[in-house]
Amino acid sequence: MAFGFGNLWRRKTKTILTILGVIIGTTAIVIMISLGIGMNENFRRELENMGSLNLIDVHMPYRGPGMMERGGPIKNARLDDKALAEFRKLEGVEAVTPIAQDYMRFAAGKYVTDISVIGMDTAVMDKFDFKIDKGRNLLPGDTTAVVFGSQAPTLFYNPKSRNFYGMGGSNPVNLISDKLLLTMNHQYGERRQSSSGDDSKPLKVYKVKGVGVLQQSNDEKDYSAYMDIKSLEKIIAEGRKMQRQQGVGDFSPGQGYQQAKVKVKDIQDVQRIQQHIKDMGFECFSLSDILKSMQETALGIQALLGGIGAISLLVAALGITNTMIMSIYERTREIGVMKVLGANLNDIRKLFLLEAGMIGFLGGLLGIGFSYGISYLLNYAGLSFIQFMGPVGEGSRMSVIPAWLSAAAVVFAAVVGLVSGFYPARRAMRLSALEAIRTE
Amino acid sequence: MFILDEQIAYNSGEGLAIANIIELKDVRKVYRVGNEKVVALDSINLTIEEGAFCCFLGTSGSGKSTLLNLMAGLEKPTKGQIVIKGSRIERMSEQELALFRQKHVGFIFQSFNLLPALNAVENVCLPLTFRGVSKEIREARARKMLKDVGLETHYRHRPSQMSGGQQQRVGIARAFIGKPGIVFADEPTGNLDSKTTMEVMKLITGIARQNGQTLILVTHDLGIARYADRVIHILDGNIEKIEENSGNVGVNQ
Ligand SMILES: Nc1ncnc2c1ncn2[C@@H]1O[C@H](COP(=O)(O)OP(=O)(O)OP(=O)(O)O)[C@@H](O)[C@H]1O
Ligand SMILES: [Mg+2]
C-alpha cells in the first residue's frame, strides 16, 4: 500500500534516525565478519605460500621406548608398497608417492654442490605440483635422470678456487647439458680428502643426467634435486653398506620407505583421509592441520566480532520497534479510521510490517554501502598499520566482504525490521476502532 | 486481495427482499467505569427499513453515539440482538466485521477524520483500496465522487489545505464511494457553521435518496432533524418517542 511510504516520509526525522540505527548495526556486523573473513584469507594465503594445502606427509610411527607402555600404536604399520597401494584406494586420493631423501654431492666438471636429493615415484611426479621451467619432468623409466630445483644451479662452486663462495654471478654449470656425477662422498672433487682412513674404499660415484629445472616456488623445492626413488634407494643402500663396513652410520634394510606423500584432490577431504591414514597406524602431517587450527581461532574471533555487531543490530531492532510503537500512538486515530472504513486486520498488519521491513531493508542496503566504504578504508589505510606489526603478504586485505555477506546482511536487516515490526503491528491490529475515532 | 463486483455489492438483490435493513431487539449497553456501571443504553427495540433516513435526536450523554456504534458493529452490546441485512452482527468476529463494513457500511465523522498523509482523491479511494479494487478504477471513481460533491478543483489537496466544509465533502465522497447499503453519520455537521451545515446536509440526503441508501444520522440539532423521514428521540438510553416526518416520506418514494 502506497501510504506506507507516505508515512515514512512524513515522519522524516524519526525514520531517518531509525534507519541510521539499522545502518550502524548492519555496518558493525558486516565489518566485524569481514575482518574475520579477511583474517581467514590471509592465513590461507600464508599457508599456500608455505606449500600445497592438499598434500599429506606420511611417516612411520615413532616407536621410541615407553611407547608401548603408553598404549601407543600396537599395529605394526610399515610404510611399504602394500601400504601405499592402500592409500591409493582411499576415496579422494589423487596420487601417492614414496619419498626417500639424502644429502648428497653433485659434481659438474670442477664444480660441486651438496644438496638434498629426493627420490620419488617418477610416474606421478606431475601430480605433485612440479612445474618445469627448462627441460622436462621425470618420466616412468627414468633411472639416472635428475630434475633440479630452480636455485640448484647457483649453488655449484669450485672447491679448488680460493674464493669458492665467490659471487660469480653467472651460473658456471648447465645442469641439462653438462656431464653430472652423484656421490655420497661429500669431499669428492676437493684437493684434500680428510678421510679418516686411507685404507677404506671410497664411496661410489654415479653418472646421472640432468633433464630439467623446476620453476621457482619459494620453498625447499628450489634447493633440492629429484630422481627416481628406486635408483636413489640403491645409491643410499650401497653408500650405507660402505659406511657401515667403516663403522659409520646404522642402516637396517627392509623397513619400508622413510616417508610418503599423498596428494588429495579436494582440500575438503584432507582431514578425513589424514584421519584414515592415522588409523592405519602412521604419523601424518599436512598444512591443512595448521589451517584448521588457524580457522578455528579465526572462527572464534569472528564469532566474538560478529557478536559485537549483533548487539548493535539488536539495539537497532529495538529502535525500530520503538519508532513503530511511537508511530502507533501518533496514528491511533488513523488506524481507527481505516478500521471503520473496512480495513481488515491483515491490511493493518501489512501496513506496519511493510513499514518496519522497509526501514530494515533501507538500513541494510545503506549499511552495506557504508560497510564497503569502511572496508576500503581499512584495506587502504589500515594495512600500513598491520604492516607495522608484522609483514603481510602481497594482496592481503584486512577486511573482505564477499557477495554472499552483503546479500545476507540486507536480507538479515530486512528480517530484523519485520520481526521488530511484529509486536507494533499486533498492537495496531488490536487497537479498538472506537477508541480511536472517539471525538476528543 | 479480492475484487468485489461493485454492482452486486450495491444492489445485493436480497436487500430488497428484507424490508427491514436494521433490527434491534432488546439491545442494552452497560459500561463499567471502575466499580460503577454506566447504563448507556437500557433496552432498545427498533426496526429501520431499507432506504429510510432516520435521525437520532437527544441531549448530550443520552446514548446516541453508543447506539450508532453498535449498529455499525464498532462495539458489541452487553445484551440483545443486532440484525443488519439479515446478519447477527453482534456475533461476528473482528475479521467478519471488517468484511461486513467493507461491503455494507459507509461512515461520516463529526471531525472528518481524513488521513493527513493522503490527498483528497486518495482519501476518497480508501474504502475501495481495502476491497482490493485496482488503482485506476478506484481513482476514476474517486474523481467522479469528488466532482459530485463539488470538489473537482481539489483532487490533489491534502486535508490540511482544505476548509472544514471541504474536508467534510471529501468525507461524504469517501462514505458513499463504495455504494454501501447503509451510511452512518455521527453529528456530521457538528464542526461546521450553519450555512455549510445546510449545504452538507443537502449533499448527504441527496446522494442517499438518489441511490436508495439507508441513512442513519445522529444529531442534537432540531434543524437537521427536519430533513429526516423519521426522528427517533433518545432519552437516558431509551427511545422516548418516534416521529414520522410525512412530508419527507413522500420525497423519499
Ligand atoms: N467507553 C465508555 N466507557 C464508559 N462510559 C461510556 C463510554 N462510552 C460512552 N459512555 C457513557 O455512555 C453514555 C452515552 O454516551 P454517548 O457517547 O452515547 O452519548 P451521546 O448521546 O453521543 O452524547 P453527545 O451528544 O455528547 O455525543 C454517557 O454517559 C457516556 O459517559
Ligand atoms: Mg455523541
Side-chain angles (χ1 to χ4, degrees), chain A residues 37-75:
Chain A
I37 294 174
M39 200 155 59
N40 247 340
E41 228 178 51
N42 288 341
F43 284 164
R44 183 174 214 105
R45 192 176 294 116
E46 256 169 57
L47 285 174
E48 268 165 3
N49 281 339
M50 284 163 67
S52 172
L53 285 172
N54 23 2
L55 283 186
I56 303 174
D57 278 333
V58 185
H59 300 267
M60 293 286 283
Y62 171 68
R63 242 185 279 256
M67 207 57 187
M68 294 300 169
E69 291 149 46
R70 277 197 274 135
I74 315 286
K75 261 184 260 174

Side-chain angles (χ1 to χ4, degrees), chain B:
Chain B
M1 288 273 173
F2 51 90
I3 307 262
L4 200 90
D5 188 329
E6 297 305 312
Q7 280 325 106
I8 291 175
Y10 169 42
N11 288 329
S12 60
E14 80 271 18
L16 296 169
I18 301 166
N20 291 330
I21 193 166
I22 299 174
E23 284 179 52
L24 304 182
K25 285 180 200 154
D26 199 19
V27 170
R28 185 177 171 82
K29 180 72 186 176
V30 180
Y31 288 108
R32 210 177 285 270
V33 181
N35 288 329
E36 269 177 68
K37 284 181 179 176
V38 179
V39 181
L41 294 174
D42 184 17
S43 173
I44 304 281
N45 286 286
L46 179 70
T47 57
I48 298 170
E49 57 276 13
E50 173 134 30
F53 173 11
C54 291
C55 183
F56 290 86
L57 192 69
T59 52
S60 184
S62 55
K64 312 177 295 286
S65 295
T66 306
L67 188 53
L68 187 94
N69 293 335
L70 286 176
M71 288 189 286
L74 298 176
E75 221 172 355
K76 306 258 176 196
T78 313
K79 212 182 94 189
Q81 284 181 20
I82 303 172
V83 184
I84 299 197
K85 290 216 162 198
S87 313
R88 296 273 300 268
I89 66 160
E90 88 275 7
R91 288 184 174 176
M92 286 186 182
S93 70
E94 179 133 11
Q95 196 71 33
E96 289 168 323
L97 278 172
L99 264 174
F100 170 83
R101 283 199 288 265
Q102 261 178 31
K103 283 188 195 171
H104 304 300
V105 176
F107 226 101
I108 303 171
F109 303 90
Q110 176 178 355
S111 47
F112 324 134
N113 278 331
L114 304 180
L115 299 198
L118 307 184
N119 64 32
V121 170
E122 287 162 343
N123 260 297
V124 175
C125 273
L126 271 181
L128 297 185
T129 310
F130 297 132
R131 283 188 197 176
V133 177
S134 79
K135 192 171 167 154
E136 296 91 70
I137 295 177
R138 65 178 193 240
E139 293 214 333
R141 287 265 303 268
R143 275 190 280 272
K144 165 127 199 332
M145 283 306 298
L146 281 171
K147 208 171 182 174
D148 290 350
V149 298
L151 281 178
E152 60 265 52
T153 52
H154 287 67
Y155 291 159
R156 299 281 155 218
H157 285 60
R158 288 182 194 280
S160 56
Q161 298 160 335
M162 289 186 278
S163 73
Q166 287 166 336
Q167 284 187 58
Q168 193 58 301
R169 284 162 199 260
V170 175
I172 292 164
R174 182 176 68 180
F176 283 99
I177 191 171
K179 303 206 169 160
I182 313 168
V183 173
F184 293 100
D186 193 348
E187 309 203 32
T189 57
N191 288 359
L192 302 174
D193 63 44
S194 54
K195 181 171 167 281
T196 322
T197 295
M198 289 309 145
E199 287 169 11
V200 162
M201 280 312 297
K202 274 188 190 125
L203 255 178
I204 297 177
T205 51
I207 300 174
R209 290 228 155 98
Q210 194 183 334
N211 295 324
Q213 284 155 305
T214 310
L215 183 60
I216 312 288
L217 196 135
V218 164
T219 186
H220 49 242
D221 183 342
L222 260 169
I224 287 170
R226 233 176 277 134
Y227 286 86
D229 305 329
R230 189 190 295 165
V231 180
I232 301 159
H233 294 261
I234 306 286
L235 184 65
D236 293 338
N238 279 305
I239 296 176
E240 187 192 23
K241 62 177 179 185
I242 300 180
E243 273 181 316
E244 296 291 337
N245 203 336
S246 51
N248 281 333
V249 175
V251 181
N252 192 19
Q253 251 90 61

